[in-house]
Amino acid sequence: MASLADISGNEAALARQAEILARPLTEDRIMANAIRALAIDAVEAAKSGHPGMPMGMADAATTLWRKYLKFDAANPSWADRDRFVLSAGHGSMLLYALLHLTGHERMAIDDLKSFRQLHAVTAGHPEYREHPAIEMTTGPLGQGLATAVGMALAERLLAAKFGKSLVDHRTWVIAGDGCLMEGVSHEAGALAGHLKLNKLVVLFDDNSISIDGGTDLSVSEDPLKRFAGYGWATRRIDGHDFDQLQAALNFAMKSSKPVIIACKTIIGFGAPSKAGTAGVHGAALGGAEAEATKRALGWDQLPFTVPDEVYAPWRAAGSRGAVSRRAWLKRLAKHPQRAEFERVMEGQLPEGWVDAMALYKAALAEQKPKLATRQASQKALEVLAPAIPELVGGSADLTGSNLTLVKGMAGASAENFAARYIYYGVREHGMAAAMNGIALHGGLIPYGGTFFVFSDYMRPSLRLAALMRVRVIHVLTHDSIGLGEDGPTHQPVEHLASFRAMPNVLVLRPADAMETAECWELALRNSSGPSLLVLSRQAVPALRLQANGCKSARGAYVLAEAEGKRAATLIATGTEVALAMAARAKLAQEGIQVAVVSAPSFELFQQQDESYQNAVLGDAPRIGIEAAAGFGWERWLGPNGIFIGMTGFGASAPADALYEHFGITEAAIMAAVKTKGI
């Protein structure tokens, strides 16, 4: 039952709605009503969806797309287009209606009729790659806003490199109350304000409604004051007043700071009984309410019908950017950096980097360094950064621990975007989202560092990267109980298993400097999802003594074969490969011959054919060794295998003492081999 506050709030919204509907029915409002009608029709046809936000933000979206957004519907992938992100992704019909009305291909009326149906481009929430004009997958609230920060940052970094003649565009966001409640909006907002990303503009759908009811149930802050504190410029307007909308967007175009505009709107605008209530957020209006809404709006068309006289100004808006695009193409044709710009925007790696890595790996084979794999990662970056200029690094306030900064990579600031390193601060979630935005924008390959255990903080953004299949590289150090005295809060145990379970994620846990170099190569080549470089704090000996090929590319390989018939196969990852090799040597002294398999990537090994897998794993009993939870190892160990690893959380002590305490030792490996009746 609705509370008295809900009823009074609804009455206030309906009274305000009546006043707005009494205003002159201008061309802008008729265009906006086309959005509302299509949203109503699609949600009614699907019998599910979220009509309230598209109905409430139709006026703001019309103003933006008709007069400010730089785009060309004939070429939605134009590199210098403005980026538009619907952070409040549940209101997806707003975006689909805009794409249809502006004349984008593959967004016909039949596509709107298929809203939320299997294989439709019009999914329940916008999905990246389903349509070229959908800039990212949204739905988890706050992610769009935070990712847009990365897009705006990428624009600044590329403009500093190639100049405004090639890179000069804005990033626009429509976000809701929920987006601003999510913690990631705080992290992202603070970072954007600090860097003064003045080409980032957020239109806040300030409708004061959440699923549970009025936002006053859970929120009493003023979000504009919060963003002002971050260093943003702010405006508060009537989101249904076209003059105020235009004035606010004019202000945003001139701002020296990122801008947030609170558009006071009525959710479900036009609905005679449900407007201004939570009831219009996530459900179809119903036949009677839908018809009454269209009457109130003055829309007398059949479902999914838009008159030619309404299409005309929308199609004009869709082609408005063609002149700008043609002028840009002329500038590109004459630009001295044209070839490099086209290369990086296409995501093609430069020539020469493979040769540079081959020389580096040859040196590793000769020098045989004993290094922590985080140190080996930094040394690989010292080779890769000069060879791949589009690599952009960063860390969540752990630069000196993650070892993600190398010579020649200056830190980006509001005063200097001619840089290749980003100090994200203690904002793991915001960092991962911004990295997604940098990758989605194109032209740059982002990598960012934190401790592996803090991947928990960025999991929603990492999952979106996996859903969208974007190339981001996470450098995740201090990968096990081997980090030692910082204790169980900092010792990842379940993380390897959880990320191995996530589709489209490439988990790479190298055993030494050679494998680390190979894993960096694999991560850079992986353009179909995020890559995780899971790296150690403690030093490990050189185990791969030849630089032949890229053995890590097959996920697992025989590092050391048994001298004769295998009595057992030891399978290990990361730092535990060295333990397996030491146990192998001691077993050999007792006349027991075992093979050691290094398995830096379960995902890549899973992709190999069965004959290769069988050749690597062999027929002998299998022992798995990893300083983490054993979930998922059963696939490789079989029903009779033994796993040596963690069965609970870690503890605070020196690393060597912890390995001994938890039984991840050479002696434990040898005992496991012998228990198999050998």
Side-chain angles (χ1 to χ4, degrees):
M1 181 178 293
S3 69
L4 290 176
D6 290 335
I7 294 170
S8 62
N10 180 221
E11 290 175 349
L14 293 177
R16 180 176 172 231
Q17 176 172 276
E19 181 272 320
I20 295 168
L21 288 172
R23 297 173 188 172
L25 192 61
T26 62
E27 184 176 66
D28 281 331
R29 190 169 302 288
I30 293 170
M31 292 172 70
N33 285 343
I35 296 174
R36 294 184 173 103
L38 290 174
I40 291 169
D41 293 340
V43 174
E44 289 296 315
K47 297 182 174 56
S48 74
H50 300 76
M53 192 280 277
M55 295 167 69
M57 282 298 282
D59 298 328
T62 298
T63 305
L64 172 63
W65 280 61
R66 189 181 189 191
K67 299 178 180 177
Y68 294 90
L69 188 73
K70 183 173 73 170
F71 74 105
D72 183 357
N75 192 330
S77 300
W78 169 30
D80 201 38
R81 70 192 180 279
D82 284 357
R83 271 60 171 176
F84 174 76
V85 175
L86 185 65
S87 188
H90 56 275
S92 57
M93 266 309 303
L94 176 70
L95 177 56
Y96 302 149
L98 287 164
L99 296 181
H100 169 72
L101 292 166
T102 51
H104 282 77
E105 290 186 3
R106 293 182 53 227
M107 194 58 73
I109 280 291
D110 283 346
D111 295 304
L112 303 188
K113 290 179 179 179
S114 299
F115 179 53
R116 289 183 157 235
Q117 305 309 302
L118 187 62
H119 303 311
V121 298
T122 49
H125 293 82
E127 293 183 16
Y128 181 63
R129 299 183 191 273
E130 286 297 321
H131 189 281
I134 297 175
E135 299 285 1
M136 68 169 292
T137 297
T138 56
L141 295 180
Q143 288 290 329
L145 191 160
T147 304
V149 171
M151 294 179 181
L153 176 54
E155 191 275 345
R156 294 287 75 206
L157 295 171
L158 288 167
K161 181 176 181 179
F162 292 104
K164 288 183 65 176
S165 64
L166 291 189
V167 185
D168 185 15
H169 52 264
R170 296 178 178 275
T171 304
W172 304 87
V173 181
I174 286 182
D177 293 282
C179 292
L180 301 193
M181 291 184 208
E182 289 286 358
V184 72
S185 77
H186 300 245
E187 295 183 23
L191 180 63
H194 173 71
L195 292 173
K196 297 182 181 177
L197 299 178
N198 65 304
K199 290 187 162 185
L200 173 64
V201 183
V202 175
L203 301 179
F204 163 35
D205 180 17
D206 184 16
N207 61 33
S208 301
I209 293 294
S210 62
I211 291 176
D212 283 348
T215 54
D216 55 2
L217 292 170
S218 55
V219 176
S220 56
E221 69 187 40
D222 182 339
L224 291 195
K225 289 181 179 178
R226 173 158 67 86
F227 276 81
Y230 295 149
W232 290 53
T234 66
R235 281 290 184 274
R236 195 183 307 274
I237 64 168
D238 178 348
H240 299 296
D241 186 308
F242 287 92
D243 290 337
Q244 289 189 35
L245 283 162
Q246 190 162 327
L249 292 176
N250 286 338
F251 162 76
M253 296 285 284
K254 300 174 184 176
S255 176
S256 61
K257 302 176 179 180
V259 177
I260 183 168
I261 301 166
C263 305
K264 193 62 183 175
T265 61
I266 299 171
I267 189 171
F269 178 82
S273 63
K274 293 185 178 181
T277 71
V280 77
H281 166 81
L285 295 180
E289 183 83 356
E291 291 181 13
T293 301
K294 290 182 179 181
R295 284 196 300 271
L297 296 172
W299 189 267
D300 59 359
Q301 307 299 318
L302 293 172
F304 294 106
T305 302
V306 178
D308 290 342
E309 60 269 23
V310 179
Y311 270 128
W314 270 120
R315 296 296 158 85
S319 61
R320 178 175 50 85
V323 173
S324 296
R325 185 173 67 86
R326 286 194 292 268
W328 179 85
L329 285 170
K330 291 178 181 178
R331 295 195 300 273
L332 175 65
K334 299 176 182 178
H335 201 283
Q337 295 173 283
R338 174 184 175 177
E340 178 68 0
F341 180 80
E342 290 179 336
R343 179 188 70 77
V344 298
M345 292 306 295
E346 290 169 3
Q348 300 298 318
L349 294 170
E351 295 181 3
W353 77 277
V354 174
D355 295 334
M357 286 299 284
L359 289 173
Y360 168 63
K361 289 191 290 184
L364 288 178
E366 182 179 345
Q367 296 163 6
K368 303 175 180 57
K370 182 178 182 179
L371 296 169
T373 52
R374 62 172 177 151
Q375 292 174 302
S377 170
Q378 185 180 45
K379 290 191 175 295
L381 277 170
E382 289 170 356
V383 177
L384 291 167
I388 306 177
E390 61 267 36
L391 263 183
V392 174
S395 176
D397 197 46
L398 287 168
T399 295
S401 294
N402 302 146
L403 303 180
T404 41
L405 180 63
V406 298
K407 185 178 180 180
M409 298 183 79
S413 69
E415 293 73 36
N416 177 34
F417 287 106
R420 295 177 61 189
Y421 197 81
I422 303 153
Y423 292 98
Y424 287 103
V426 189
R427 303 184 184 105
E428 293 88 355
H429 196 177
M431 175 180 73
M435 288 169 61
N436 288 349
I438 292 170
L440 288 164
H441 179 280
L444 300 168
I445 301 173
Y447 71 88
T450 188
F451 288 176
F452 189 27
V453 76
F454 299 140
S455 61
D456 284 339
Y457 284 136
M458 61 190 189
R459 187 174 295 269
S461 294
L462 215 157
R463 185 175 187 271
L464 268 192
L467 269 170
M468 295 186 287
R469 291 181 172 270
V470 294
R471 178 164 55 187
V472 293
I473 302 171
H474 291 278
V475 179
L476 303 170
T477 70
H478 296 61
D479 67 350
S480 70
I481 59 170
L483 74 86
E485 292 87 345
D486 279 345
T489 59
H490 285 52
Q491 292 167 3
V493 173
E494 73 280 17
H495 300 68
L496 280 166
S498 67
F499 282 118
R500 286 168 179 158
M502 189 180 288
N504 305 336
V505 176
L506 179 59
V507 181
L508 300 159
R509 189 172 186 239
D512 67 355
M514 187 72 73
E515 280 195 4
T516 302
E518 291 180 344
C519 288
W520 260 109
E521 290 179 334
L522 294 169
L524 286 164
R525 293 182 188 277
N526 178 27
S527 58
S528 61
S531 299
L532 313 187
L533 289 163
V534 182
L535 307 171
S536 73
R537 177 179 184 265
Q538 72 273 34
V540 289
L543 301 172
R544 275 274 303 286
L545 305 181
Q546 292 86 31
N548 52 327
C550 180
K551 292 185 179 296
S552 298
R554 303 195 78 169
Y557 63 96
V558 179
L559 175 64
E561 187 54 271
E563 299 293 333
K565 185 179 179 182
R566 292 187 192 182
T569 301
L570 309 182
I571 311 167
T573 78
T575 47
E576 287 72 67
V577 177
L579 277 177
M581 288 292 284
R584 174 183 179 271
K586 289 186 177 179
L587 285 165
Q589 291 173 4
E590 299 181 18
I592 302 172
Q593 301 297 332
V594 300
V596 173
V597 170
S598 178
S601 174
F602 282 15
E603 296 80 25
L604 293 177
F605 190 48
Q606 184 175 325
Q607 294 170 16
Q608 306 308 307
D609 59 65
E610 188 176 352
S611 62
Y612 177 78
Q613 292 177 355
N614 291 338
V616 169
L617 298 175
D619 297 326
R622 301 168 191 171
I623 315 296
I625 309 111
E626 189 171 66
F631 189 82
W633 270 88
E634 59 276 359
R635 170 166 188 162
W636 310 120
L637 299 182
N640 300 315
I642 296 175
F643 178 74
I644 297 171
M646 299 295 292
T647 57
F649 291 116
S652 176
D656 289 346
L658 290 172
Y659 273 85
E660 185 70 33
H661 174 71
F662 289 108
I664 308 172
T665 62
E666 297 167 29
I669 297 169
M670 295 170 68
V673 171
K674 293 173 183 177
T675 61
K676 286 300 179 180
I678 297 162

